[in-house]
C-alpha cells in the first residue's frame, strides 16, 4: 500500500448543494475574478510603461501583481465551471497540481511581502543609500529567492502527500484541493505528516507575520517623528503594506497553524484566501498611491488620444 493509490479522482463537495445558492455565488465570484485580472494587468502595464515608476518598490509591486494573477487563477476558474456541474470531480494528478501551485505561489507571495518590507526599511532608514542598497540586481535576486522559497516549500508538501496511499473515500469537503482536506482521506495515520506541514506552512506564516508587524511598527514610529510630504507618502505606503500583510497572513495562519480539523468557518476563510484576497491588492495600492493613480490616468489619456487619432 505504501506506493500505490486506489483513488484516480476526487469529488469536490463545493460551497453549497443548493442550485440557487450556486448561481448566486457564481455571479459574485465571476465579478471578483473579472476585476482581479484587469486590475493586476493594469498595474503591471502602468508600472512597465511609465518612466517615473522605476523605483524598486514599483518593481516589487509589479511582481506582486503578477503573483496575484497566477494565484487567483489556480482555483477560481475550476470553481466557476463546477457551479454548473452536477458532479464536481478533479483527477488525482490535477488535485496534486492544484495543491502544488497554490502553495508555490502563495508562499512566494509571502516571501515577496518580506522583501517589500525590507525595501521600505531601506527607503526610510537609509534614504541617501537607498538606490545603491536596493539596486536592480539585488531586487531581481530577492524576487528569484522568493520564488525559489515558494517552490521548495510547495515541493515539501507534495512529496509528503504523493507517497501516501489513497484507497477511499475520495470526497473533499471544499471547492479545491488543499493539504488540510487531502490528508484527512488517506488510508494511514498521518500525524507525522500533519506535524511537518503545520511546521512548514503554519509556523512560517506566524513567524513572517510577527516579523513584518514588528518591522512596520518600527518604521511607523520613525515616520511619525518626521514631518513633510515624503514622510506622509511613506506612511501611506506602509499602511497599504500592513493591510496586505494582515489580509494575506490572517487566513493562512487560521488554516495552517492549527490541527487539520474541520471548523464551520473553514470554507469562508478559504474563499477569502483564494478568491477575494487577490482582488484587494490592486484596489488598496491604486487607492492609496498617488503616483500609480496619476500614471494610470496618463495611460488612459494616451490610449484615448491615440484611439482618437486612429493609432
Amino acid at each position: 500500500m505504501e506506493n500505490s493509490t486506489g483513488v484516480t479522482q476526487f469529488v469536490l463537495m463545493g460551497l453549497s448543494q443548493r442550485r440557487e445558492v450556486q448561481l448566486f455565488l457564481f455571479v459574485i465570484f465571476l465579478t471578483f475574478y473579472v476585476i482581479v485580472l484587469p486590475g493586476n494587468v493594469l498595474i503591471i502595464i502602468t508600472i512597465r510603461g511609465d518612466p517615473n515608476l522605476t523605483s524598486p518598490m514599483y518593481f516589487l509591486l509589479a511582481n506582486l501583481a503578477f503573483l496575484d494573477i497566477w494565484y487567483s487563477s489556480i482555483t477560481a476558474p475550476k470553481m466557476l465551471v463546477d457551479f454548473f456541474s452536477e458532479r464536481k470531480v478533479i483527477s488525482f494528478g490535477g488535485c496534486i497540481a492544484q495543491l502544488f501551485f497554490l502553495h508555490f505561489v502563495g508562499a512566494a507571495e509571502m516571501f515577496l511581502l518580506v522583501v517589500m518590507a525590507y525595501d521600505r526599511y531601506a527607503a526610510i532608514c537609509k534614504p541617501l543609500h537607498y538606490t545603491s542598497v536596493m539596486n536592480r540586481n539585488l531586487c531581481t535576486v530577492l524576487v528569484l529567492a522568493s520564488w525559489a522559497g515558494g517552490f521548495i516549500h510547495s515541493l515539501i508538501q507534495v512529496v509528503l502527500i504523493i507517497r501516501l496511499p489513497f484507497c477511499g473515500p475520495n470526497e473533499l469537503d471544499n471547492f479545491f484541493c488543499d493539504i488540510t482536506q487531502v490528508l484527512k482521506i488517506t488510508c494511514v495515520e498521518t500525524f507525522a505528516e500533519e506535524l511537518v506541514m503545520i511546521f512548514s506552512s503554519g509556523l512560517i506564516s506566524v513567524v513572517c507575520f510577527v516579523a513584518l508587524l514588528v518591522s512596520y511598527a518600527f518604521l511607523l514610529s520613525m515616520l511619525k517623528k518626521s514631518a513633510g510630504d515624503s514622510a506622509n507618502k511613506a506612511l501611506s505606503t506602509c499602511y497599504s503594506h500592513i493591510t496586505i500583510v494582515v489580509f494575506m497572513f490572517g487566513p493562512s495562519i487560521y488554516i495552517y497553524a492549527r490541527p487539520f480539523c474541520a471548523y464551520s468557518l473553514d470554507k469562508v476563510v478559504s474563499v477569502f484566501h483564494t478568491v477575494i484576497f487577490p482582488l484587494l491588492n490592486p484596489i488598496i495600492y491604486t487607492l492609496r498611491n498617488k503616483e500609480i493613480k496619476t500614471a494610470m490616468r496618463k495611460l488612459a489619456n494616451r490610449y484615448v488620444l491615440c484611439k482618437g487619432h486612429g493609432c
Side-chain angles (χ1 to χ4, degrees), residues 57-58 228-238 288-289 291:
M57 181 182 74
Y58 295 112
D229 291 338
S230 60
N232 292 332
K233 177 184 170 184
L235 273 172
S236 179
T237 302
C238 285
R288 297 191 65 94
N289 194 299
E291 283 79 7

Side-chain angles (χ1 to χ4, degrees), residues 86-140:
E86 195 68 34
R87 194 164 181 264
K88 306 166 180 58
V89 297
I90 184 171
S91 67
F92 183 85
C95 180
I96 296 300
Q98 192 178 63
L99 187 153
F100 172 79
F101 286 111
L102 189 73
H103 282 267
F104 175 21
V105 181
E109 193 160 341
M110 287 185 179
F111 295 140
L112 185 61
L113 289 174
V114 174
V115 174
M116 294 175 76
Y118 176 73
D119 170 74
R120 289 301 84 205
Y121 166 80
I124 294 168
C125 299
K126 301 181 179 180
L128 298 178
H129 304 285
Y130 175 61
T131 53
S132 59
V133 171
M134 288 298 293
N135 57 71
R136 193 55 176 258
N137 289 335
L138 178 61
C139 286
T140 303

Side-chain angles (χ1 to χ4, degrees), residues 43 53 57-58 61 120 220 223-224 229-245 247 280-297:
I43 287 177
L53 303 178
M57 181 182 74
Y58 295 112
L61 177 56
R120 289 301 84 205
L220 290 176
L223 288 170
K224 287 182 178 179
D229 291 338
S230 60
N232 292 332
K233 177 184 170 184
L235 273 172
S236 179
T237 302
C238 285
Y239 284 134
S240 298
H241 286 200
I242 292 171
T243 305
I244 294 298
V245 165
F247 282 126
L280 299 175
N281 278 359
I283 292 177
I284 291 171
Y285 279 113
T286 52
L287 288 180
R288 297 191 65 94
N289 194 299
K290 292 181 180 179
E291 283 79 7
I292 290 184
K293 286 191 290 186
T294 302
M296 284 182 175
R297 280 195 293 267

